[in-house]
């Protein structure tokens, strides 16, 4: 790779770059790109690419193999970074690989803590029956199938920017399944509508999708600029919804009666969630602190309030206690029984904030770890710098960003967006908004292109399928193209 005659100069240059990388990461990573470019032809780099492809093929086959998507990428990340370290050590550089890895880990930790806090809030709201009440209210309104189609889509569009698109899709999917029992055509169309609406709604909010969160946390766009995508996102949903609505059966389902009430503290938790989001935005905008600091502070407040809820529920629970004995029968003891000292447990569990944390989507969080480190490892080999030059310099940025949206329908939009952020192409603000839009809504083109689509395929198994969604892909693509054109028209001054 290099001869002994020039070894001292190349070694010293790499150690110098590694030292600057440790002290000043922003300066160091510019130097790292130059170092990594020399590794593009390294056979170990080719092996790293093949490992990533194999791992991602395993991720894409999750629906058929039922192998959790985090497992292959966790293994791939470890192997890829071992290859990176071997390559850098062969060049005499023993510091840069570790510094790049630590930079990637810092990005992941910020994302992990932010999402952990957000997921805990969402799980607490679900446990306090907020989403059950929303579903029950919609189900008992006695609307026609066409009205339910539009209402569920509208709620999904505006709920997704606050909750994530996965939670939104599951809540609205439950409404669709409850109202459309026995009407498979309606259920299929309504599920497609919910997926498109949830993905479109998440594209104009920093909290609506992982990709928008990544762009905001990377400092590529200020918080308020995401809302410039509101109208393009609305167009992305309304156009296919309008076409599909004509295929919805012109029938009215029998009215359903369901009584669901909020649990203690539900309203307070909702207000705390809003306050936590405001804190995250304020920390980032006014003091340039990571948004995760505001989210984790809000999580601490939620944990404290959860303690108060638990104490109140324990003190107010005067119902009989029970514990299992041998056989199928259960022995019941009154709270006043002299045998109450025998270990018993409440019939209804009191609130426990750690259960809400436990129910976070840990497979998804571990998947993010694997993806971020895999892509970071490929970047350390110089492939992303090469790809950035190929796509964003040799090609038109608009064409490149539109193609990234199409790619996100096949490959999860998270590694696609992280790759773009790692490339850090020099683009106008309008182009950053464009890639945020396309990466967010491009997944709607296929049912497997977003977490919302995959979740609803499981929820409405056999009714909402890959091929049912594929049938309506042309009208969804029409909305995709229209949203891009509307963005270019409305935000022309940003390009």
């Amino acid at each position: 790779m290099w001869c002994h005659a020039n070894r001292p100069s190349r070694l010293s240059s790499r150690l110098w770059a590694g030292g600057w990388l440790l002290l000043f990461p922003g300066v160091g990573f510019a130097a790292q790109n130059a170092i990594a470019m020399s590794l593009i032809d390294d056979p170990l780099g080719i092996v790293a690419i093949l490992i990533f492809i194999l791992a991602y093929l395993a991720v894409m086959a999750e629906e058929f193999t039922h192998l959790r998507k985090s497992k292959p990428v966790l293994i791939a990340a470890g192997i890829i970074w071992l290859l990176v370290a071997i390559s850098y050590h062969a060049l005499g550089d023993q510091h840069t690989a570790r510094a790049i890895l630590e930079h990637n880990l810092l990005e992941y930790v910020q994302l992990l803590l932010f999402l952990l806090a957000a997921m805990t809030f969402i799980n607490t709201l679900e446990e306090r029956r907020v989403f059950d009440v929303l579903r029950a209210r919609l189900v008992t309104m006695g609307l026609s199938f066409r009205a339910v189609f539009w209402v569920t889509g509208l709620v999904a569009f505006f709920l997704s920017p606050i909750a994530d698109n996965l939670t939104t899709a599951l809540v609205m999917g439950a409404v669709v399944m409850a109202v459309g029992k026995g009407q498979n055509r309606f259920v299929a169309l309504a599920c497609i509508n919910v997926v498109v609406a949830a993905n479109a709604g998440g594209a104009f909010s920093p909290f609506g999708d992982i990709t928008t969160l990544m762009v905001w946390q990377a400092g590529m766009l200020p918080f308020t600029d995401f809302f410039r995508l509101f109208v393009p996102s609305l167009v992305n949903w309304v156009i296919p919804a309008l076409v599909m609505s004509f295929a919805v059966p012109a029938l009215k389902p029998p009215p359903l009666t369901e009584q669901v009430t909020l649990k203690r503290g539900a309203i307070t938790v909702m207000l705390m969630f809003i306050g936590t989001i405001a804190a995250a935005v304020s920390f980032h905008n006014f003091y340039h602190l990571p948004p995760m600091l505001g989210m984790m502070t809000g999580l601490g407040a939620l944990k404290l309030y959860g303690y108060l809820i638990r104490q109140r529920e324990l003190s107010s629970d005067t119902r009989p206690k029970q514990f299992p004995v041998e056989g199928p029968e259960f022995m019941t003891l009154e709270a006043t029984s002299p045998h109450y000292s025998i270990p018993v447990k409440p019939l209804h569990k009191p609130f426990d904030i750690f259960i809400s944390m436990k129910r976070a989507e840990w497979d998804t969080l571990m998947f993010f770890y694997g993806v971020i480190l895999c892509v970071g490892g490929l970047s350390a080999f110089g492939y992303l710098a090469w790809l950035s030059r190929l796509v964003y310099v040799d090609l038109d940025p608009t064409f490149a960003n539109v193609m990234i949206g199409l790619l996100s329908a096949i490959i999860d939009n998270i590694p696609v967006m992280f790759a773009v952020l790692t490339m850090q192409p020099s683009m106008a603000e309008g182009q950053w908004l464009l890639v945020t839009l396309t990466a967010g809504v491009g997944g709607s083109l296929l049912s497997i292109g977003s977490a919302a689509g995959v979740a609803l395929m499981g929820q409405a198994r056999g009714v909402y399928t890959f091929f049912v969604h594929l049938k309506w892909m042309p009208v969804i693509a029409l909305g995709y193209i229209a949203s891009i054109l509307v963005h270019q028209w409305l935000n022309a001054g940003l390009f």
Side-chain angles (χ1 to χ4, degrees), residues 228-240:
R228 293 177 180 270
L229 295 176
F230 173 78
V231 175
S233 298
L234 185 64
V235 169
N236 179 268
W237 164 57
V238 168
I239 288 180

Side-chain angles (χ1 to χ4, degrees), residues 288-365:
H288 307 290
L289 294 171
M292 67 87 186
L293 186 62
M295 294 298 292
M296 291 301 290
T297 304
L299 177 59
L302 176 63
K303 289 163 74 76
L304 181 60
Y305 184 64
Y307 169 79
L308 298 177
I309 293 176
R310 180 179 178 84
Q311 294 304 311
R312 290 172 185 169
E313 290 185 345
L314 285 171
S315 62
S316 63
D317 189 4
T318 58
R319 293 169 296 190
K321 308 295 191 292
Q322 68 176 198
F323 66 93
V325 294
E326 291 185 4
E329 300 298 325
F330 284 83
M331 182 182 295
T332 301
L333 298 177
E334 296 296 335
T336 57
S337 169
H339 302 290
Y340 188 66
S341 59
I342 300 175
V344 297
K345 62 181 179 180
L347 285 168
H348 301 274
K349 289 184 178 180
F351 177 72
D352 187 346
I353 186 64
F354 289 101
I355 292 179
S356 294
M357 295 184 71
K358 176 183 175 182
R359 291 178 57 243
E361 298 164 34
W362 286 102
D363 180 57
T364 300
L365 294 175

Side-chain angles (χ1 to χ4, degrees), residues 143-280:
L143 303 173
S144 66
F145 283 126
R146 190 164 294 175
V148 173
F149 175 89
W150 280 107
V151 169
T152 52
L154 190 65
V155 172
F157 183 80
F158 285 103
L159 181 60
S160 184
I162 304 171
D164 61 282
N165 56 0
L166 175 60
T167 300
T168 299
L170 290 174
V171 172
M172 292 299 101
V175 175
V176 168
M177 296 291 289
V179 175
K181 189 175 295 183
Q183 292 287 336
N184 289 353
R185 182 176 179 81
F186 162 75
V187 170
L189 289 167
C191 284
I192 298 172
N193 185 45
V194 165
V195 169
V196 176
N199 290 335
F204 71 87
S205 165
F207 300 97
D209 190 78
I210 303 301
T211 54
T212 58
L213 176 62
M214 292 167 68
V215 172
W216 179 49
Q217 287 201 143
M220 298 303 175
L221 294 170
F223 183 82
T224 54
D225 277 23
F226 287 91
F227 298 105
R228 293 177 180 270
L229 295 176
F230 173 78
V231 175
S233 298
L234 185 64
V235 169
N236 179 268
W237 164 57
V238 168
I239 288 180
L242 186 62
V243 176
M244 289 188 295
S245 67
F246 291 105
V248 175
L251 301 172
K252 190 172 182 179
L256 301 175
T257 58
E258 187 176 0
Q259 296 294 327
V260 181
T261 58
L262 293 172
K263 287 187 177 182
R264 185 196 304 270
I267 301 298
T268 303
V269 173
M270 282 191 282
L271 295 175
M272 290 179 71
F273 190 29
I274 294 172
T276 298
I277 292 174

